[in-house]
Amino acid sequence: MVESIANKITSFLISNKAIEEKESELYSYAFSILIAFLINISAILIIAYSLNLFKETILFLLCYCPIRQFTGGYHADNYKRCLLAFMLLYIVNICFVEFVFYYKLDYLILFEMIMSYIGICFLAPLEHRNNPLSKKELKIFKRVAVVLSSIVVFLVWIGIRYNNAYKFIYYVASSIICIFIMLIIGIIKQEFGGRV
């Protein structure tokens, strides 16, 4: 479905001479990625709205999405699996954060965040099999991933001091944990030849 829509958009642009036919593959791929991203984000926001966690989810996504672009990690084999994996990750994340919030287990989420941050610093970036990076790109991606993750960790340490911001801070902290989980799953998938 995603590829079909992307191909139709690309064909429309070619027929209106907005792009050249020799660029069709690139545009079709870019539109596929954009459409899949919009579907994923929309699904997560619908879940968040239905659970009355819209603001928390916006904060989570604002931290998660930019860092994830530079860390890499698990990538599903198709767009349906990608959507399902992201929704599953997010629902498990909600359960974890709500559990931590309900029982006031600050130390647990802070410990998990710090361990995940250290893991990101060591493991990122994890290359996608279809998009290998040069040595220069690997260094840049690592630097950006560490800087963005460091900013998030710093914001959590500042925000945890304010009682009225706890729940929001838990969701921000959980973004680092989720990114690390995606890195670990990506490494496992690579080790088992893409069968995970």
Side-chain angles (χ1 to χ4, degrees), residues 92-135:
V92 169
N93 185 58
I94 288 172
C95 294
F96 172 70
V97 171
E98 293 300 318
F99 174 83
V100 168
F101 181 72
Y102 183 79
Y103 289 104
K104 298 185 180 2
L105 302 172
D106 297 351
Y107 65 90
L108 178 62
I109 201 157
L110 293 175
F111 175 76
E112 289 289 326
M113 180 192 67
I114 293 302
M115 296 308 292
S116 297
Y117 172 74
I118 292 167
I120 290 169
C121 290
F122 281 104
L123 298 176
L126 184 64
E127 294 180 274
H128 188 274
R129 65 189 173 277
N130 296 333
N131 189 18
L133 301 171
S134 69
K135 286 185 179 184

Side-chain angles (χ1 to χ4, degrees), residues 26 42 89 102 122 142 147:
L26 177 65
S42 298
L89 175 75
Y102 183 79
F122 281 104
K142 181 174 212 59
V147 167

Side-chain angles (χ1 to χ4, degrees), residues 6 20-21 26 36-37 52 60 93 99 124-126 131-132 143 150 153 169 187 189:
E20 294 181 28
E21 193 164 346
L26 177 65
F37 175 78
N52 199 26
F60 171 83
N93 185 58
F99 174 83
L126 184 64
N131 189 18
R143 190 175 311 127
S150 299
V153 169
I169 292 304
I187 290 169
K189 183 177 179 180

Side-chain angles (χ1 to χ4, degrees), residues 15-34:
S15 66
N16 287 310
K17 301 193 187 313
I19 62 171
E20 294 181 28
E21 193 164 346
K22 66 181 178 184
E23 299 173 320
S24 65
E25 250 184 76
L26 177 65
Y27 276 91
S28 186
Y29 176 73
F31 286 128
S32 294
I33 298 296
L34 178 63

Side-chain angles (χ1 to χ4, degrees), residues 9 34 59 69 71 73 77 93 100 165 170 181 195:
I9 294 170
L34 178 63
L59 277 172
Q69 285 183 313
T71 59
D77 296 327
N93 185 58
V100 168
Y170 287 170
I181 289 168
R195 289 188 295 268

